[in-house]
Amino acid sequence: MSGKRSIFEEVSDSEKQQAVQPGMIDRGRGGARGAIRVWLMILFALVVIMIAVGGLTRLTDSGLSITEWRPITGAIPPMTEADWQSEFDKYKEIDQWRIQNQWMELSDFKSIYWWEWGHRQLGRVIGLVWALGFLGFLVARKIPTGWTGKLLIPGALGGVQGAVGWWMVASGVTQGEGMTAVASYRLAVHLGLAFVILGFLAWYIFELGREERDLMQARRAKEAKLFSLSTGLMHFAFLQILIGALVAGIDAGRSYTDWPLIGGQILPPDATMLEPMWRNFFESPGLVQFIHRCAGYLLFIFGVIVWRRGNTSAHPQTRFAFNAGFAALSLQLVIGIVTVVYAAPWQIAIFHQLMAVVVWTLILRARFLTAYPVATSIRGA
């Protein structure tokens, strides 16, 4: 046992190194933050592609071409001409073929089948990428402290999304009910859940882009008022995305192609012709498109308010984030008008849908920076 030392005795270099240990907050918590972030970025990109493919599947009326839900065996497409004919015969039993597509030959059916098969296959790929990544990091014990539950959320929601997808398709796989498309409100749930998954992935990517101690310090400088406003903008944007899905579900974007009027009027003609009354808010093309337009105007006005407030932030990166978000929102408004005027051709319609992803992500980025501002020196500011 070493004896007592004088308070004036010098400390050796090795003892100094033991005493001074920077980054203690991150010690034992870091894990493979960079690798996990890359994995989440890959998942984010795959979900964006999934949204685009889903939109094209809807625009080509391909979503009902596969009339069964086979999570495992459905990964194998028809391999022989007899298999193709069997799938075509199943499709001929539903109302979409009976009412809308009796002109189709087998070659026509194959084209819509591949769209839906590709959409479902991409969903399987996303699930596999998530599972392999999560289990790999878990087995290697590379998941940072407190992140295991977080990383489970996208996988769990992805599983729910698969079930919701079939619930949506099942609404259009009918016989004798006169349905030629999926229920619009189920489509809205399906698309909305995709954006929820994107939201979780984006937030985690933002968090993992900075060290734990940096986030803990930044949290003290949280801009509470601006955070509340950006949260409101996030919720409003999400609502508009859901309404947009209702528009897409009944092709309401092609019903009235004049702007700023709708059907030559302020209010659309025959907006409430369906019974009972509540059905009009989901199934009346004029009313649904009118609601989507009005919500877009209100979202833009609220966006102006949040943008102006965001530019009062003391942090340059936060101000830039709000500028980027507002620029994207402004562009999206213009694209929406163009989509209506040109009767929603698939090229513009898909661009409009993907632009919603950009707006959604940039709003989340601005919100994140209000919660965790990036400190800037006076000289840097």
Side-chain angles (χ1 to χ4, degrees), residues 298-361:
L298 293 175
L299 177 61
F300 180 77
I301 293 171
F302 186 48
V304 172
I305 295 171
V306 177
W307 168 61
R308 289 178 61 86
R309 180 65 178 82
N311 272 275
T312 66
S313 172
H315 307 284
Q317 288 199 33
T318 303
R319 294 196 300 270
F320 180 81
F322 277 95
N323 287 336
F326 181 68
L329 181 61
S330 301
L331 179 59
Q332 177 71 325
L333 180 66
V334 174
I335 296 171
I337 294 171
V338 173
T339 303
V340 166
V341 171
Y342 285 92
W346 70 264
Q347 300 92 332
I348 301 177
I350 283 298
F351 186 32
H352 189 46
Q353 187 167 339
L354 289 177
M355 196 64 204
V357 173
V358 175
V359 172
W360 176 244
T361 305

Side-chain angles (χ1 to χ4, degrees), residues 162-203:
V164 169
W166 172 246
W167 174 65
M168 175 188 69
V169 170
S171 66
V173 181
T174 60
Q175 298 177 8
E177 298 177 25
M179 292 289 292
T180 60
V182 301
S184 60
Y185 61 90
R186 297 194 188 190
L187 175 63
V189 173
H190 191 49
L191 183 63
L193 186 53
F195 273 82
V196 169
I197 294 171
L198 274 184
F200 276 108
L201 292 173
W203 196 268

